[in-house]
Amino acid sequence: MSNVDLKTKWLGLELKSPIVLGSSPLSLRREAVRQLDELGAAAVVMPSLYEEELEHDETEIQHLLEFATESTGEATEFMPELEDYHIGTRDYLENLKGIKDIVSIPVIGSICATSASGWREYAKQMESAGADAIELNSFFVPTDPKLTSADVEARYVDTVADVAKSVKIPISVKLGPYLSAPANLARRLVDAGASGLTLFNRFEQPDIDLEELHIIQDHHLSGPEDIGHTLRWIGILRGQHPEISLAATSGIHFADCVVKMLLAGADVAMMTGAVIRNGPGHLAMVLEGVRAWLEEHEDDSVEQVKGSMCQTKCEEPVEYERAHHLKPLIHYTHEA
Amino acid sequence: MSEKTFITVDGNEAAARIAHLCSEVIALFPISPSTPMGELCDAWSAAGKGNVWGDTPVVLQMQSEAGAAGAAHGALQAGALTTTFTASQGLLLMIPNMFKIAGELTPTVFHIAARALATHALSIFGDHSDVMSARSTGWAMLSSGGVQEAHDLALVSHAATLRARLPFMHFFDGFRTSHELNKIEALSPETVLSMLDPELVLAHRDRGLCPERPVLRGTAQNPDVFFQAREAANPWYLELPGIVQKTMDELAGKTGRQYKLFDYVGAPDAERVIVMMGSGAGAAEEAIAKQNDAGEKVGLVKVRLFRPFSNVDLLAAVPKTAKKIGVLDRCKEPGSAGEPLYQDILTAFAEAHAEGTIDAMPRIVGGRYGLSSKEFTPAMTAGIYAELGRDAPKNHFTMGIVDDVTHTSIEYDKSFTTESDKVVRAVFYGLGSDGTVGASKSSVKIINGTTDLYAQGYFVYDSRKAGAVTVSHLRFGPETINSSYLIGEASFVACHAFGFTQRMDVLGEAAKGATFLLNTPFAADEVWDELPQEMQQQIIEKELKVYCINAYAIARQVGLGHRINMVMQTCFFSLAGVIPKDQAITAIKGMIKKTYGKLGEKIVNKNINAVDEALANLHAVKIPGKSTSEKRRIPPVPDHAEDFVKRVTGMIIDGKGDMLPVSALPPDGTFPVATTRYERRGIAQQVPIWDSSLCIQCSKCSIACPHAAIRAKIFDPEKLGADAGNGRPETFETLSWKGNDFKGMEMRIQVAPDDCTGCGICVDVCPARSKEEVKHKAINMSPRLDHLDVERANWDYFIDQPDLDRRLIKPGQVRTAQMFEPMFEFSSACAGCGETPYLKLVTQLFGDRMVVANATGCSSIYGGNLPTTPWSKGQHGRGPAWANSLFEDNAEFGLGMRLALDQQESQARRLLGKMAPKVGEALAKAILECKQLDEADIYEQRQRVTELRKRLEGDESDDAKALKVVAEDLVRQSVWIIGGDGWAYDIGFGGLDHALASGRDVNILVLDTEVYSNTGGQSSKSTPRSAIAKFAAKGKRTGKKDMGMIAMSYGNVYVGQVAMGGNDTHTLKTLIEAESWRGPSLILAYSHCVAHGIDMGKGMQHQKEAVDTAYWPLYRYDPRLAAAGNAPFRLDSKRRTPSVHDYLLKEARFAMLARSRPDDAEELFGALQQDIDARWHLYEQMSALAPIEQTEAEESD
């Protein structure tokens, strides 16, 4: 039996391993989540509760129930009224509770709201339902030309401050990769009350159907080639903020990805696409790979290596900052 | 007496609540206006609501009313307490079983929303024609005159039927009572239970068939005993009136509401008495009160129990002082000695007089009133009393119409009114689906539910499905409101659609000094100038107080889209003063939470915001002292319309049909065609505008247009004129035809801007896009008003241009087939209707020689409901000849047409053969041998028939005269039997099957929406598994019937399954092949529908997905192929998407199941996928069948 300690601490939560099941519909499948708990998953993040979706559903169902009604005497309505439309947050919260009931690991609620009251109220409801922490899925596409980058950042910061005042459970902010000043924003989010950051969100992307000439949504899962951007900012931010929780997400498919993130400074790595593709057993395999790597490198624990290669602790800090493909910049002399 | 509970319900719900509490089995079939009773019971049972014994009644929708009655009969024979609901033709279909049920002394209650019977025309509206037609069945007949009575007497019926062992028809007036919303005192389940004797329930059960105590019921009897056995039931009939009265008395003891078999109201010493049944009594009572207050001596007998008719109780009810009795029947029995109630009253008095029971015989006259919900008012009542006051009152009179033909009508003083100053009377004009009716219903419920006041609501709907106008009539007052007539003097009028002000007289009912609320895009200081002169004049003369609000802007602003109900309701309460404004606002907000709470907090908040914004944006309009507008109200039909259209149709369009005298109307129900073109309703906000630079001349826009409002035409440039010299508008751009078939010709795509409904289907199907801006197509929706003048002129010019010679057009190509002139245009079907494109296409192909039998349903309503019809005729003057018989008999109806036409053709051929030496052997031979296979053949045959007629001119022989009449049958007539799936799969299936089996040349077109569309979305046997529909609210559990396979089993039936949005060319070819087959053809046409819960502008996309997922495979089965030794079945579509799941989630009928019952959805969607897979697999196998090898023996046969 290995003596390597896989435990880690994230958002103030004591976790049994550094691999968290990231936010996706898989988190709603109770049997799969229960199995993942047994296989070593450290926590589970619920899929996001989208305020836009709730509002859309409410509006659509109202329209539907009123569609083509009260026009002719023979047919004053077309759709029978149904007993339950499963509107609002009830189903989400029941799912969260249901997952909580069957697992021993922390369950993290996730919110993507469009209004201040949405962020606040949903967070409170999730806390009441037993969520161990909240992930704020904060990114939005700022198409309004009048909206400045400062406005966008202020919205993120204000949201965090508002939610932090409303709940007692820890908050992690899931950031999108497209930010003008991530380091500064990270600082401000922490100051506003965030306990941690999740880097980075992965989005639906538009595509073009070349035959039908329609814009369509691209549904690709992440691949291991996608980890670079996350690795960069985990490494940079860990150097700047030794105290905050960092979670790495997007492209975590194999044990080496997890290890790299831990070395760069992540407290946990979130797996989603790889588990969806390969099934719960994949997570166990990755975890075993992490354990093997630590053993092989004679490391005692995850905590020992976490951040050991962040920007301030590695031998090549400038590589975290390099964005362009230059010829190798060789230092011919050592600068005093 | 227990604590009173008041509820606000309509007559249907009032009766249905009792029926559900008192029943164990409910077998039914939807028919207006009784449909809601069944739907409510189904919803209650689906929700697990029990009857008074705690059991949940089983509710089963049958295939017809005949089926419902049969199932009810069976359930009764097996001992269950059973009920059903019906009306009109539905009741007629039940009559055979009703005789049986009564003959077997079986207790049951059928609740009837009494409705007119189809005679010269169908009418969905109320009168007593149906129940009177069932009066000989041996059933007790109990009549309710209002909503409270419908509740109370429903219970009396259910209680008395057990006591009397005779079945009851409990009836109330369709729409006037069935759909009137009123405040009533609810009977508690405990009260209901206390009226139902448990011993009698058990006795009924014991009489049920049971192998433990076997009996035989339903024998055949011979002359020796039948008669006696029939008389053996007499004691039960003799006892029934007493039982009913006792039951009424018992109810009175529990509720304080006393009913009598014949209720008398009025002066105890009345000299003039009216006798009537039903809701008209409400109006009559008001008149009586006013007249007696004025010192007259008049009275009214309200007949409750019509069968068995109790002479004794009638005579007891009529004051001895009565010298004149006017008996009013709400039905007509042509050729009778008098209408039924009149005859009974007359008989009762005559017998009594003959027997010496009464000293003097009063003068008794009968009259008809209120047919098809014709208004019956206090003024009319006063008019009847005035007539009774004459020495020789008119007998067999009519009231409420002007009969200038046989002069039956009596006049009355229209200024007589009984409306009280204490009652607020409000009239609301709204567009269908804009929330006006919903808001009005909500207002009634708010007042009834939160105050001691009483409120009544009645709603007048449109028969048009697109651009429908609704008028809500609301009364609010301190006492019970029984005014059973429309509001004539409104203290408040609201117009929720500004466009109405330009076309309709919305202020006709406004009383002097009334308040007028107008929803308008114009500001308070601008709106006056936008009103037509007539309206300005009315405002000034009636001294109206006018307020305006831009409700659409507010609704959009708060996120409610076009739903303006909350805004307008708030304004009403703010202005009308029914209750204090603050109290009203609190109540509205409470109602919002109650109504929308189930749908979520955000919806609630949006509606509450609408209330607050309405209050802040309601403005008074300053009224100048005189009319200043130069605008005039748009006339209902243009000046160039034909005489009948101007005299009659125009009046009906203008809402003045009530003023038409008898002489104005065709006595046999025959009307001219091609009249929708005069309406020019202008209901679209946006219309498609053609960009010729992008057009690829595919004509897909034209074939897909449900309203024939966008058309393609090819012109000869020489005849067209190169410039505006021949009246051609400068904007009338054309495009050179791209193709060798019409080389050198020009074409144009043209919108009819006043007839388009703005559905957008044409734009959706247009495949031609701009290279520079992909969203810009060859046609694009654009604001109608921006293009109106230009496109109106273009349309007028376009439509006047000659159509292409039909012989030149290749019918099998969509782009050219669209050059055939449509003879089905501008129907009032829903915007974006999925049925009408097929009808239009059929008329394009065969309209000039087409006879149509149309089943009752959506297509008969948008096809044949007055004022206008879309069935049209071409420039040549020929067009489809159309008739509707009933719902259930359409295949037989059409088959009969075929038989007649075949017979006439046969006669013509015989006569022509006989007269060949006279008319010319060559001509006769050419006519008799012409195969008429294509347009050229048809054209030549027509020419020959014309020549034949010419040659017969002057020949007065019998043969020549006969041949002249039937000669037109020598041109091939195409019989089309058309209807929806409710008809084809359910109620008309037996007849349809027989028509298929007949081998006759009929073309059956099933417009398959997979649901009963016309009556509001009830499940049919075409409804697929898992779809939500009425009577399948938890998703349909059984699969769709494969009608095509059934038809194919005959071997000699051409069968085609088409979906225009899936493949328009396939649809076209299938129709042509089907019509060319000289035997029976069946075409199943997928028709998207509002009942599917889809964006109707994308209906063709849904059709495409239905085909691509194999949900709706396209195929053809052609017996000619089999005869030629080939496989007759061709599977014409490809299965591009293996799973139907994503498609299902795009249609609310399926998606709502996934939302409402996700576990069931998973199971049922899976089962539906299996249905689809199995059917596809079968079709693939059939299409792969090897050609049939004929053996020598078979060949020699």
Side-chain angles (χ1 to χ4, degrees):
Chain A
M1 188 67 187
S2 165
N3 288 324
V4 173
D5 184 357
L6 292 176
K7 287 201 291 292
T8 182
K9 202 169 176 186
W10 174 61
L11 301 176
L13 305 167
E14 298 285 351
L15 305 183
K16 64 185 178 190
S17 84
I19 303 180
V20 169
L21 179 63
S23 176
S24 85
L26 180 64
S27 307
L28 293 173
R29 289 169 47 193
R30 294 187 190 185
E31 181 49 34
V33 175
R34 191 195 55 73
Q35 208 180 340
L36 285 161
D37 176 12
E38 284 177 2
L39 292 171
V44 53
V45 185
M46 298 288 289
S48 286
L49 176 64
Y50 292 97
E51 186 176 17
E52 184 187 355
E53 196 172 275
L54 295 186
E55 187 167 354
H56 173 84
D57 286 354
E58 289 182 16
T59 307
E60 275 303 301
I61 288 170
Q62 188 199 7
H63 285 176
L64 176 66
L65 293 177
E66 292 171 347
F67 176 56
T69 59
E70 304 287 11
S71 288
T72 69
E74 295 206 78
T76 54
E77 60 187 18
F78 285 91
M79 279 283 159
E81 195 170 339
L82 306 179
E83 52 199 296
D84 190 353
Y85 293 97
H86 295 271
I87 291 287
T89 57
R90 190 191 67 202
D91 281 7
Y92 186 94
L93 298 173
E94 281 177 4
N95 275 322
L96 193 151
K97 281 183 198 163
I99 297 290
K100 276 289 291 178
D101 287 346
I102 58 164
V103 297
S104 59
I105 52 178
V107 178
I108 321 298
S110 175
I111 304 170
C112 182
T114 52
S115 69
S117 64
W119 291 108
R120 202 168 47 236
E121 293 306 317
Y122 299 156
K124 280 196 225 171
Q125 290 175 21
M126 288 184 192
E127 182 179 39
S128 300
D132 296 285
I134 300 285
E135 181 180 86
L136 302 182
N137 185 358
S138 60
F139 182 77
F140 69 101
V141 182
T143 55
D144 182 351
K146 296 193 286 296
L147 204 64
T148 67
S149 53
D151 295 335
V152 174
E153 290 181 359
R155 190 186 292 189
Y156 293 147
V157 172
D158 292 348
T159 298
V160 171
D162 201 22
V163 175
K165 271 186 257 168
S166 307
V167 295
K168 294 189 173 64
I169 52 178
I171 297 164
S172 178
V173 184
K174 191 171 192 176
L175 291 169
Y178 315 119
L179 296 162
S180 302
N184 173 271
L185 180 63
R187 173 80 271 156
R188 289 162 61 201
L189 292 171
V190 171
D191 290 348
S195 302
L197 302 174
T198 301
L199 308 179
F200 287 104
N201 206 342
R202 185 174 175 79
F203 314 118
E204 293 283 304
Q205 301 289 4
D207 196 359
I208 291 177
D209 180 332
L210 290 173
E211 289 309 310
E212 299 293 328
L213 298 184
H214 288 309
I215 305 295
I216 53 175
Q217 287 289 331
D218 183 22
H219 293 289
H220 290 306
L221 294 172
S222 69
E225 67 281 3
D226 296 325
I227 67 166
H229 189 66
T230 303
L231 192 71
R232 179 200 302 275
W233 282 103
I234 292 280
I236 293 170
L237 292 179
R238 174 55 72 214
Q240 295 175 2
H241 306 287
E243 78 289 4
I244 68 167
S245 289
L246 291 174
T249 185
S250 291
I252 314 292
H253 282 240
F254 304 111
D256 58 352
C257 305
V258 178
V259 174
K260 286 174 188 176
M261 290 301 176
L262 293 173
L263 296 178
D267 297 296
V268 292
M270 292 182 175
M271 286 181 71
T272 310
V275 183
I276 291 173
R277 245 185 220 137
N278 305 311
H282 186 76
L283 185 139
M285 193 189 78
V286 171
L287 197 56
E288 198 45 48
V290 173
R291 188 195 307 276
W293 188 91
L294 291 170
E295 275 178 356
E296 195 180 317
H297 292 77
E298 298 178 350
D299 296 316
D300 297 333
S301 68
V302 165
E303 287 294 345
Q304 188 181 27
V305 300
K306 261 165 57 174
S308 60
M309 290 188 70
C310 71
Q311 191 182 27
T312 55
K313 294 183 182 175
C314 67
E315 291 181 353
E316 305 84 5
V318 72
E319 294 302 328
Y320 275 112
E321 297 173 14
R322 191 179 303 288
H324 304 288
H325 184 68
L326 306 176
K327 66 179 183 181
L329 301 179
I330 298 166
H331 296 286
Y332 297 105
T333 61
H334 176 71
E335 227 175 288
Chain B
M1 255 178 277
S2 56
E3 187 72 16
K4 290 185 175 184
T5 304
F6 288 97
I7 53 173
T8 299
V9 293
D10 61 19
N12 274 333
E13 184 172 348
R17 281 179 177 234
I18 300 300
H20 193 260
L21 284 171
C22 298
S23 301
E24 294 161 334
V25 173
I26 302 174
L28 51 84
F29 187 75
I31 182 165
S32 305
S34 68
T35 310
M37 286 190 275
E39 290 177 353
L40 284 165
C41 287
D42 182 57
W44 291 329
S45 283
K49 196 170 169 183
N51 58 22
V52 287
W53 301 281
D55 301 314
T56 302
V58 59
V59 180
L60 185 65
Q61 182 195 4
M62 296 299 295
Q63 89 286 6
S64 71
E65 290 90 349
H73 187 190
L76 290 163
Q77 281 303 326
L81 297 173
T82 306
T83 193
T84 190
F85 316 99
T86 195
S88 191
Q89 315 299 134
L91 184 61
L92 296 193
L93 287 176
M94 293 185 174
I95 284 176
N97 261 295
M98 291 171 70
F99 275 101
K100 291 287 297 173
I101 291 167
E104 292 156 355
L105 297 180
T106 317
T108 184
V109 182
F110 287 7
H111 298 271
I112 320 292
R115 168 184 153 181
L117 293 177
T119 48
H120 61 292
L122 169 148
S123 168
I124 62 167
F125 293 101
D127 65 35
H128 300 161
S129 307
D130 52 2
V131 290
M132 286 305 186
S133 296
R135 71 184 187 278
S136 62
T137 53
W139 284 48
M141 294 173 68
L142 198 57
S143 164
S144 289
V147 182
Q148 180 73 62
E149 290 179 16
H151 195 55
D152 293 342
L153 298 188
L155 178 55
V156 169
S157 302
H158 279 277
T161 191
L162 287 168
R163 298 171 189 193
R165 265 196 78 183
L166 283 176
F168 273 61
M169 265 187 273
H170 168 235
F171 67 97
F172 44 88
D173 290 352
F175 282 104
R176 184 62 252 182
T177 300
S178 68
H179 282 59
E180 176 187 305
L181 213 52
N182 215 323
K183 184 178 189 172
I184 67 166
E185 189 188 331
L187 294 166
S188 69
E190 295 73 28
T191 303
V192 173
L193 183 61
S194 71
M195 297 281 288
L196 303 170
D197 186 338
E199 293 299 322
L200 295 174
V201 173
L202 293 179
H204 171 63
R205 196 96 70 223
D206 280 346
R207 288 191 295 269
L209 297 174
C210 176
E212 297 294 326
R213 44 180 194 287
V215 294
L216 186 70
R217 199 173 288 146
T219 55
Q221 298 181 354
N222 298 325
D224 54 346
V225 298
F226 184 95
F227 192 174
Q228 301 93 301
R230 196 80 184 101
E231 296 298 324
N234 290 351
W236 281 265
Y237 288 90
L238 294 171
E239 283 183 23
L240 190 136
I243 290 171
V244 172
Q245 187 57 62
K246 201 174 159 197
T247 310
M248 287 172 162
D249 295 345
E250 196 178 316
L251 181 75
K254 294 173 190 292
T255 65
R257 291 187 294 280
Q258 176 71 62
Y259 298 97
K260 295 279 178 60
L261 304 186
F262 298 91
D263 263 321
Y264 179 77
V265 289
D269 54 348
E271 294 175 351
R272 288 167 288 158
V273 173
I274 287 176
V275 182
M276 67 189 305
M277 278 193 294
S279 65
E285 259 189 275
E286 289 184 7
I288 289 161
K290 182 169 178 175
Q291 291 198 291
N292 286 340
D293 283 350
E296 300 200 37
K297 291 179 178 176
V298 296
L300 167 73
V301 173
K302 294 188 271 189
V303 180
R304 307 274 186 215
L305 184 71
F306 177 65
R307 285 286 180 276
F309 196 87
S310 173
N311 290 6
V312 175
D313 289 292
L314 169 76
L315 294 168
V318 179
K320 302 285 178 275
T321 50
K323 291 177 184 160
K324 307 270 183 63
I325 296 177
V327 185
L328 301 186
D329 274 273
R330 199 160 197 162
C331 66
K332 179 174 171 64
E333 198 167 305
S336 67
E339 271 63 39
L341 184 58
Y342 164 74
Q343 289 210 49
D344 282 13
I345 302 294
L346 196 60
T347 303
F349 273 93
E351 280 186 8
H353 188 244
E355 291 163 2
T357 316
I358 55 172
D359 296 333
M361 180 77 185
R363 180 143 190 174
I364 301 173
V365 296
R368 296 181 292 279
Y369 76 105
L371 266 65
S372 176
S373 288
K374 173 72 77 186
E375 275 287 272
F376 183 71
T377 62
M380 293 176 191
T381 311
I384 293 167
Y385 284 124
E387 184 67 24
L388 292 176
R390 293 176 196 275
D391 290 341
K394 185 177 278 190
N395 200 354
H396 309 296
F397 63 84
T398 55
M399 173 47 88
I401 57 170
V402 176
D403 179 3
D404 55 344
V405 176
T406 52
H407 309 288
T408 58
S409 55
I410 52 178
E411 292 183 358
Y412 65 100
D413 176 6
K414 294 183 179 61
S415 66
F416 181 93
T417 176
T418 55
E419 293 279 24
S420 160
D421 291 343
K422 293 178 190 164
V423 175
V424 173
R425 295 179 294 278
V427 175
F428 302 81
Y429 285 84
L431 272 171
S433 301
D434 73 350
T436 299
V437 174
S440 299
K441 288 182 174 175
S442 165
S443 297
V444 170
K445 287 177 180 169
I446 285 173
I447 294 302
N448 284 339
T450 62
T451 74
D452 291 334
L453 296 171
Y454 289 82
Q456 175 208 51
Y458 186 72
F459 312 95
V460 178
Y461 296 99
D462 207 328
S463 49
R464 301 176 182 96
K465 294 170 190 289
V469 179
T470 62
V471 190
S472 304
H473 294 252
L474 271 53
R475 287 184 174 92
F476 305 89
E479 291 163 7
T480 309
I481 299 170
N482 296 317
S483 304
S484 54
Y485 53 94
L486 300 177
I487 290 169
E489 293 281 308
S491 49
F492 183 94
V493 175
C495 179
H496 290 194
F498 185 75
F500 294 169
T501 62
Q502 312 297 310
R503 290 177 177 268
M504 296 168 57
D505 179 15
V506 295
L507 293 177
E509 294 102 353
K512 193 157 190 174
T515 299
F516 176 42
L517 169 64
L518 180 59
N519 172 27
T520 171
F522 301 104
D525 56 353
E526 298 169 348
V527 68
W528 178 255
D529 293 330
E530 301 297 331
L531 301 177
Q533 207 179 90
E534 294 89 340
M535 180 171 261
Q536 289 187 342
Q537 205 62 39
Q538 282 172 308
I539 290 170
I540 292 165
E541 284 170 8
K542 294 188 175 187
E543 299 172 14
L544 304 183
K545 298 179 281 291
V546 182
Y547 295 84
C548 73
I549 188 162
N550 189 343
Y552 283 115
I554 294 170
R556 275 194 300 273
Q557 180 194 325
V558 300
L560 288 175
H562 70 287
R563 300 289 295 185
I564 58 171
N565 49 340
M566 280 308 149
V567 178
M568 299 307 287
Q569 188 180 17
T570 304
C571 294
F572 163 68
F573 275 115
S574 173
L575 295 170
V578 179
I579 53 175
K581 187 169 139 185
D582 290 346
Q583 187 187 344
I585 301 307
T586 305
I588 292 174
K589 289 183 177 176
M591 181 64 89
I592 288 170
K593 286 175 187 158
K594 191 175 165 192
T595 308
Y596 298 114
K598 192 175 175 183
L599 299 182
E601 189 187 348
K602 290 186 183 300
I603 290 297
V604 169
N605 289 339
K606 284 178 185 179
N607 282 282
I608 285 176
N609 289 344
V611 172
D612 294 335
E613 287 299 316
L615 291 169
N617 288 283
L618 176 63
H619 302 291
V621 176
K622 200 174 165 193
I623 307 301
K626 60 176 184 179
S627 168
T628 53
S629 181
E630 292 178 2
K631 293 181 182 177
R632 299 300 300 264
R633 191 178 294 145
I634 299 167
V637 292
D639 266 353
H640 64 78
E642 58 195 83
D643 178 58
F644 181 86
V645 171
K646 278 200 278 197
R647 280 191 301 109
V648 179
T649 309
M651 287 284 281
I652 304 173
I653 292 172
D654 207 17
K656 296 186 170 64
D658 282 318
M659 294 164 66
L660 287 170
V662 170
S663 65
L665 290 153
D668 62 354
T670 306
F671 277 78
V673 296
T675 44
T676 47
R677 62 180 61 170
Y678 297 119
E679 277 205 86
R680 298 199 157 188
R681 296 200 294 144
I683 60 173
Q685 298 293 315
Q686 299 209 317
V687 294
I689 299 299
W690 187 45
D691 182 344
S692 62
S693 68
L694 295 174
C695 185
I696 57 170
Q697 302 178 344
C698 64
S699 297
K700 283 183 181 294
C701 53
S702 172
I703 196 172
C705 176
H707 308 280
I710 186 160
R711 298 190 189 178
K713 199 180 259 195
I714 289 178
F715 312 94
D716 180 342
E718 286 180 19
K719 290 180 187 163
L720 191 63
D723 52 34
N726 64 348
R728 175 181 176 173
E730 288 178 9
T731 51
F732 195 85
E733 195 182 343
T734 56
L735 193 59
S736 295
W737 181 253
K738 296 167 187 166
N740 291 327
D741 42 0
F742 298 111
K743 203 163 188 166
M745 303 282 265
E746 296 286 305
M747 70 85 66
R748 178 175 170 85
I749 300 288
Q750 177 64 53
V751 66
D754 291 308
D755 303 296
C756 173
T757 64
C759 70
I761 277 193
C762 52
V763 174
D764 189 48
V765 299
C766 176
R769 296 175 183 276
S770 161
K771 299 287 183 199
E772 291 79 24
E773 185 183 354
V774 169
K775 70 179 179 187
H776 184 77
K777 294 183 163 186
I779 43 171
N780 302 280
M781 298 306 282
S782 193
R784 173 175 169 269
L785 293 179
D786 292 354
H787 302 274
L788 185 57
D789 292 340
V790 167
E791 295 305 333
R792 198 179 263 171
N794 285 340
W795 169 261
D796 289 344
Y797 184 76
F798 177 94
I799 210 69
D800 281 347
Q801 298 311 301
D803 285 302
L804 210 54
D805 185 334
R806 293 180 70 87
R807 290 173 295 170
L808 303 176
I809 298 172
K810 286 182 190 159
Q813 294 178 358
V814 168
R815 67 193 299 255
T816 46
Q818 282 310 297
M819 303 306 158
F820 288 127
E821 186 182 11
M823 284 165 249
F824 183 89
E825 60 183 13
F826 319 138
S827 79
S828 60
C830 300
C833 174
E835 297 184 354
T836 46
Y838 297 110
L839 294 178
K840 185 190 63 173
L841 183 58
V842 170
T843 68
Q844 287 176 296
L845 296 169
F846 319 112
D848 61 345
R849 54 189 180 86
M850 181 177 175
V851 180
V852 183
N854 203 135
T856 303
C858 271
S859 54
S860 73
I861 296 302
Y862 60 63
N865 206 118
L866 292 187
T868 57
T869 179
W871 293 95
S872 181
K873 55 187 174 186
Q875 289 179 340
H876 38 59
R878 289 183 294 274
W882 182 94
N884 159 248
S885 174
L886 298 168
F887 191 15
E888 63 271 21
D889 72 338
N890 192 50
E892 301 92 312
F893 186 49
L895 180 61
M897 292 176 181
R898 179 77 272 166
L899 297 178
L901 293 170
D902 286 350
Q903 194 67 5
Q904 285 158 26
E905 186 196 349
S906 173
Q907 282 173 24
R909 296 177 75 86
R910 176 177 58 78
L911 290 166
L912 181 57
K914 197 172 165 189
M915 295 195 70
K918 270 192 180 178
V919 297
E921 294 285 358
L923 177 64
K925 186 167 185 285
I927 290 174
L928 292 171
E929 292 182 358
C930 179
K931 300 283 184 206
Q932 303 187 63
L933 295 176
D934 56 23
E935 288 292 334
D937 271 3
I938 299 281
Y939 178 85
E940 295 300 329
Q941 185 77 338
R942 275 211 183 95
Q943 295 295 104
R944 289 185 205 107
V945 169
T946 305
E947 177 59 26
L948 170 65
R949 284 187 146 157
K950 208 158 73 182
R951 293 186 191 181
L952 289 169
E953 275 174 21
D955 187 337
E956 292 301 314
S957 68
D958 287 348
D959 283 347
K961 279 198 264 184
L963 182 55
K964 266 187 273 187
V965 172
V966 293
E968 60 198 13
D969 293 295
L970 292 164
V971 177
R972 189 168 172 242
Q973 311 275 305
S974 187
V975 173
W976 286 80
I977 298 172
I978 294 170
D981 50 283
W983 157 67
Y985 286 68
D986 287 355
I987 194 168
F989 178 65
L992 184 141
D993 177 59
H994 204 82
L996 293 176
S998 72
R1000 295 281 181 166
D1001 184 9
V1002 292
N1003 306 289
I1004 302 173
L1005 175 60
V1006 180
L1007 303 165
D1008 195 345
T1009 61
E1010 306 191 315
V1011 75
Y1012 287 75
S1013 301
N1014 193 51
T1015 46
Q1018 294 81 16
S1019 169
S1020 80
K1021 283 200 286 297
S1022 174
T1023 305
R1025 201 191 300 271
S1026 80
I1028 283 177
K1030 306 259 185 74
F1031 302 109
K1034 293 178 180 173
K1036 185 156 174 268
R1037 301 274 146 175
T1038 53
K1040 178 189 175 94
K1041 176 158 73 181
D1042 193 340
M1043 179 79 93
M1045 284 296 289
I1046 294 170
M1048 282 180 244
S1049 69
Y1050 283 109
N1052 68 334
V1053 177
Y1054 180 95
V1055 185
Q1057 179 151 292
V1058 302
M1060 188 179 283
N1063 187 335
D1064 48 13
T1065 303
H1066 177 263
T1067 300
L1068 186 60
K1069 286 187 169 164
T1070 304
L1071 288 173
I1072 293 168
E1073 281 182 8
E1075 203 278 339
S1076 69
W1077 170 240
R1078 303 291 173 106
S1081 303
L1082 174 71
I1083 301 137
L1084 302 166
Y1086 184 81
S1087 306
H1088 59 260
C1089 177
V1090 292
H1092 295 177
I1094 60 165
D1095 174 355
M1096 293 294 279
K1098 303 274 190 288
M1100 292 299 175
Q1101 278 187 36
H1102 285 260
Q1103 292 199 16
K1104 184 171 187 313
E1105 286 198 57
V1107 172
D1108 288 347
T1109 55
Y1111 175 92
W1112 187 269
L1114 306 181
Y1115 65 76
R1116 287 169 292 163
Y1117 177 94
D1118 192 339
R1120 285 167 290 205
L1121 294 176
N1126 298 313
F1129 184 89
R1130 288 164 291 177
L1131 184 54
D1132 295 321
S1133 57
K1134 288 194 170 65
R1135 191 177 188 180
R1136 294 186 167 87
T1137 313
S1139 167
V1140 77
H1141 189 266
D1142 289 352
Y1143 163 67
L1144 299 182
L1145 294 183
K1146 291 177 185 171
E1147 301 200 346
R1149 57 178 170 152
F1150 299 109
M1152 283 303 108
L1153 182 68
R1155 174 167 281 284
S1156 167
R1157 307 173 71 86
D1159 294 341
D1160 279 0
E1162 197 173 329
E1163 181 195 331
L1164 287 172
F1165 287 178
L1168 173 61
Q1169 184 68 60
Q1170 285 176 12
D1171 293 343
I1172 290 167
D1173 293 346
R1175 200 169 281 197
W1176 181 260
H1177 185 56
L1178 176 64
Y1179 291 172
E1180 274 187 325
Q1181 287 179 317
M1182 287 171 61
S1183 65
L1185 282 178
I1188 299 163
E1189 297 285 344
Q1190 285 192 316
T1191 64
E1192 280 184 22
E1194 283 171 332
E1195 281 170 351
S1196 63
D1197 286 345

